[in-house]
Amino acid sequence: MPRFFPTVLACLCLFAPIIANAAGAAAAKDLPTFPLPLEDYRHVEEEKATQEGVEELGLWDTLVMRAEAEPINLVVTLLFFGAIIHTFFAGKFMHIAHRLEKEHAESGEGKNKRYVNGKEPVSFRATVFHFLGEVEAIFGIWVLPLFLIITFWNGLGLDVAIHYIDEQDYTEPVFVVVIMAIASSRPILQLARDALSIVAGIGKHSPAAWWLSILTIAPILGSFITEPAAMTIAALLLGQQFYKYKPAPVFAYATLGLLFVNVSVGGTLTHFAAPPVLMVATGWGWDLPHMLFTFGWRAVLGILISNAIYFMIFRKQFATLLAGAPEPTPTQEADPEADPVPYWIVLVHVGFVAWTVMTLHHPPLFVSGFLAFIAFTVGTSHYQYQIKLRGPMLVGFFLAALKIHGGLQGWWISPVLGSLEQIPLFIGSTLLTAVNDNAAITYLASQVPIFDTHTATGALKEGADLLRAQALQYAVVAGAVTGGGLTVIANAPNPAGQSILNKFFKGGISPLGLLLGAAIPTIVMAFCFMILPHVHFR
């Protein structure tokens, strides 16, 4: 089956908006507004509240009014939830694809023909089902009916559909593609492995020692090299040092859930590494000390507690892991281990990582750096793994499609967030994160007036109003990072981990298995963020 097919489609879909930008920017000012800005609903809501003699509409009345004002709202949200439901059937589609491949091979269809470069015939039907089973491709598939609905909806049209997709910010998807490719290079992996090996050496480099060191240090490292880079390194090392021993499914999913939750909260020691924090840090005035002393220490404590709980639960299974290690056959000779990468090459790769992180808001700069990185790897290819872009490109495709869908969910997410007080808001933010990217949750919250510490005139709120705004800001971000491991779509780095570790799970990673595996760490993080006393160490 042509494995390049999803990659090519991902490339086209990921970069098509960049190409479309030049063609459509001039005409955009004459197009109907889509989606309707959230502030436009408020005027209608205030009028209806006045007519009904109430101070403000209830949540249900608000949602009904917005659905009536813009009927397409309900349609695009149903499409979004259709994509989420589709992810639960990805394994089924893969199973059908494999069955069709087997039937096609046994049928001998097309064997008597000659194909390009001696290629074997493939089943087109199997390829289609394989594509439908690619988790990273699912949201992109559902962009197609979304595009058609916008195009043929009365009052909108093709130009509006193109403009909507064109105006989304795809910086993060492109950044993830680049940082995944660089972070998965042999020099970076060697450096990460050598650093974590020092800690794992305390436990004599046993699988348990590697497990603890990777799941503790790598997520915290995400606060400095960004979460996508930390996820890539952690997932690759877990594959080499843990998953290769074929742990029991429950243990495997528990580790996956723990990884996703730890990475989600591990980026909160700084104000620039975690996507949900990055969305609000500037507007809310959050700096490095604020993040470290408000969120950071709680995140580190939660990671340590979660790791300890899972270590105690599965401690007996660590002893049996070595029995599951693949053994070479008697006729198979082991390849001699390649010489280590010279440290000057490692330093150059670290420089590329640093450049990419420092310029993460400037795509022309980090993409140019990536091109230089590719050129450097060609010149040092005898020390390098082959750069594989299929995985990073599919992850970028996933995130780009998620942004397209997520940009149309503000009509219902924003009033839901705005109707909740601190504890219900934390719970709501955690649960909403499971069905939408957590960065989108915090961004939408930043557009709700009650979350702002300043009044409409720009003056700082006072007294109870100020304390309430600060409490709500904390609750929505804490909930967003706490729920970041519940699903693949909850946090931007998760698709990177899913792409790398999917091969270790029979039939692919199950959304339900991930949800159950992440449940305990999520509860632990909820305790650390919302139950522990709010003590600031400064």
Side-chain angles (χ1 to χ4, degrees), residues 357-379:
V357 171
M358 289 188 299
T359 61
L360 63 88
H361 299 300
H362 308 284
L365 294 180
F366 68 70
V367 170
S368 298
F370 183 55
L371 296 176
F373 165 79
I374 293 175
F376 181 79
T377 59
V378 172

Side-chain angles (χ1 to χ4, degrees), residues 357-537:
V357 171
M358 289 188 299
T359 61
L360 63 88
H361 299 300
H362 308 284
L365 294 180
F366 68 70
V367 170
S368 298
F370 183 55
L371 296 176
F373 165 79
I374 293 175
F376 181 79
T377 59
V378 172
T380 57
S381 59
H382 46 296
Y383 287 111
Q384 305 279 0
Y385 295 138
Q386 181 182 356
I387 299 177
K388 297 180 179 179
L389 289 178
R390 178 182 182 275
M393 287 301 305
L394 280 174
V395 171
F397 180 45
F398 176 95
L399 294 174
L402 188 59
K403 280 186 171 292
I404 292 171
H405 284 287
L408 298 172
Q409 309 310 315
W411 73 275
W412 67 272
I413 291 179
S414 180
V416 168
L417 294 176
S419 68
L420 303 173
E421 292 301 326
Q422 186 177 18
I423 297 299
L425 175 62
F426 173 83
I427 297 172
S429 178
T430 301
L431 296 178
L432 284 174
T433 289
V435 297
N436 204 3
D437 178 49
N438 55 8
I441 299 298
T442 58
Y443 169 76
L444 290 169
S446 70
Q447 308 303 303
V448 180
I450 64 170
F451 287 85
D452 200 340
T453 54
H454 293 76
T455 64
T457 60
L460 184 68
K461 292 179 179 178
E462 298 179 354
D465 290 338
L466 177 60
L467 292 177
R468 184 192 182 203
Q470 292 174 335
L472 294 179
Q473 288 177 354
Y474 175 85
V476 73
V477 174
V481 297
T482 296
L486 292 172
T487 61
V488 174
I489 69 173
N491 193 28
N494 291 357
Q498 190 270 348
S499 175
I500 293 167
L501 296 175
N502 196 54
K503 63 185 178 183
F504 295 103
F505 294 81
K506 185 177 180 181
I509 292 174
S510 162
L512 180 60
L514 171 60
L515 179 67
L516 296 176
I520 292 178
T522 299
I523 294 172
V524 170
M525 294 303 171
F527 171 83
C528 291
F529 280 121
M530 295 305 296
I531 306 300
L532 291 180
H534 284 250
V535 178
H536 299 268
F537 299 111

Side-chain angles (χ1 to χ4, degrees), residues 113-149:
K113 297 181 180 180
R114 297 178 64 183
Y115 300 96
V116 177
N117 296 329
K119 293 181 180 179
E120 292 293 325
V122 298
S123 168
F124 181 78
R125 286 200 305 159
T127 303
V128 170
F129 277 98
H130 189 280
F131 190 44
L132 291 172
E134 288 274 9
V135 174
E136 297 92 339
I138 287 174
F139 281 86
I141 294 172
W142 284 77
V143 166
L144 298 177
L146 174 65
F147 184 86
L148 292 175
I149 286 174

Side-chain angles (χ1 to χ4, degrees), residues 148-171:
L148 292 175
I149 286 174
I150 298 173
T151 298
F152 292 104
W153 195 268
N154 185 34
L156 298 179
L158 178 61
D159 290 340
V160 174
I162 293 175
H163 177 63
Y164 171 70
I165 293 179
D166 172 49
E167 69 179 354
Q168 303 307 306
D169 182 5
Y170 298 97
T171 299

